Amino acid sequence: MATVFVSGTLPGDAVATLAASHRVVQDEAGVRSAAFASCRADVEAVVALLTDRIDAAFLEGSPRLRIVANVAVGVDNVDLAACKSRGVLVTNTPDVLTDATADLAFGLVLAAARRIAEGDRLVRAGGFTGWTPTFMLGTRVHGATLGIVGMGRIGRAVARRGRGFAMPVVYTQRERLREDLEAELSATFIASLDDLLARADVVSIHCPLTPATTHLFDGPRLARMRPGSILVNTARGPIVDEAALAHALTHGPLAAAGLDVFEAEPAVHPALVTCPNAVLAPHIGSADRPTREAMASLAASNVLAVLAGHPPVLSSVDRP
Ligand code: DGY
């Protein structure tokens, strides 16, 4: 029986499954909690959340640790090199959250372009005084060109949704997709992000957060976007410079933005909060119940497999 630390409260029966064969210590406050400190010398597995920072200092005090099972597809909260150098395996939860996240991304496209959240606020404030032909005109989604930055699982799922809205799809990432995938998605590869921004009316971000993608959307790049275009980010907040985004929403060229992630969560840049054309969601991309249960269950299955001496059940983490 190994000691497994579970960070936070997980939906579904993942914790019960782990507790059936291992000693589980769980704490809402995560890996910086006193509960973790009391078991860290024995802990062999950690089920971590994206709010847990797993770095060299953390690993230092847990010499028996074998696996960090992140309940997220993104692993930017984990120092992969430090884990590797200590022989700690890192896993994530790909696939199970693809459609939920793509649904939310597309919801943000629609909400931002058609001013749904702004309209909701207006109605609640008693500002709806009657239909007129010029009232709350927004941006057309149907047939607009959809630009995807990072055509992994979630990017591809957003592209499929875009096809349902007759949107021509262009994408950029380091490597071009296989020809059959490109054909299935009717997606056109554009090698340079700036060239993609020159063509796309709606841009949806789906690349991982790395040093190379931090502030990928900075002031100069946002200024290169098409006048009246829409930016959606359901990946990681620091990919977009929030202060620069607020400027581009206020002074152009952007018509609107939909954000599910922020640079310093849970804080949101004050300038962004005052932009009526920013739709702000509290990092709920994967937050439908079956998806969150599947994420927790996959993390638990990865822990059980690794503790039993097997490879993880499913993970897409590349070890550096
Ligand atoms: C992830 O999995 O990386 C998301 O941000 C959480 O849904």
Side-chain angles (χ1 to χ4, degrees), residues 119 122-123 126-137:
L122 178 137
V123 171
F128 181 38
T129 52
W131 191 94
T132 78
T134 53
F135 183 54
M136 287 209 79
L137 303 186

Side-chain angles (χ1 to χ4, degrees), residues 26-284:
Q26 188 172 14
D27 197 293
E28 193 62 44
V31 299
R32 305 292 166 201
S33 64
F36 181 75
S38 70
C39 73
R40 70 178 310 157
D42 301 321
V43 81
E44 291 182 55
V46 169
V47 177
L49 305 184
L50 56 82
T51 46
D52 292 313
R53 182 130 303 280
I54 309 289
D55 52 17
F58 166 84
L59 297 168
E60 205 60 57
S62 302
R64 303 189 64 195
L65 188 60
R66 293 161 67 186
I67 171 171
V68 173
N70 221 32
V71 186
V73 70
V75 287
D76 45 281
N77 58 311
V78 181
D79 183 336
L80 297 179
C83 286
K84 187 185 180 198
S85 74
R86 286 170 175 76
V88 175
L89 188 71
V90 179
T91 63
N92 65 347
T93 57
D95 289 352
V96 294
L97 49 62
T98 298
D99 284 312
T101 309
D103 287 345
L104 198 277
F106 220 84
L108 288 175
V109 170
L110 293 170
R114 299 303 305 277
R115 307 175 64 178
I116 296 172
E118 192 186 343
D120 177 272
R121 287 193 297 274
L122 178 137
V123 171
R124 287 172 200 277
F128 181 38
T129 52
W131 191 94
T132 78
T134 53
F135 183 54
M136 287 209 79
L137 303 186
T139 303
R140 185 174 182 143
V141 174
H142 185 92
T145 297
L146 174 60
I148 308 249
V149 180
M151 198 65 142
R153 294 169 178 80
I154 298 171
R156 296 199 293 270
V158 171
R160 287 191 188 95
R161 283 154 180 76
R163 298 300 300 162
F165 283 73
M167 300 174 87
V169 176
V170 294
Y171 75 97
T172 191
Q173 61 180 8
R174 269 201 310 266
E175 282 174 31
R176 192 170 174 165
L177 287 179
R178 286 195 329 257
E179 250 176 55
D180 57 323
L181 268 177
E182 259 189 14
E184 183 220 315
L185 299 164
S186 308
T188 303
F189 177 66
I190 300 186
S192 131
L193 173 57
D194 288 336
D195 290 345
L196 176 134
L197 298 182
R199 278 181 57 180
D201 303 302
V202 175
V203 174
S204 194
I205 301 174
H206 300 289
C207 56
L209 175 64
T210 65
T213 63
T214 300
H215 281 193
L216 185 64
F217 285 79
D218 58 8
R221 183 152 274 134
L222 289 164
R224 272 181 225 126
M225 291 184 68
R226 285 171 69 83
S229 59
I230 308 282
L231 181 67
V232 165
N233 186 10
T234 53
R236 283 293 181 267
I239 297 170
V240 178
D241 178 335
E242 279 176 14
L245 176 61
H247 186 273
L249 286 167
T250 307
H251 303 285
L254 292 187
L259 306 173
D260 184 45
V261 287
F262 302 94
E263 278 195 80
E265 292 178 13
V268 180
H269 196 289
L272 213 44
V273 175
T274 62
C275 291
N277 48 351
V279 180
L280 310 175
H283 204 150
I284 50 172

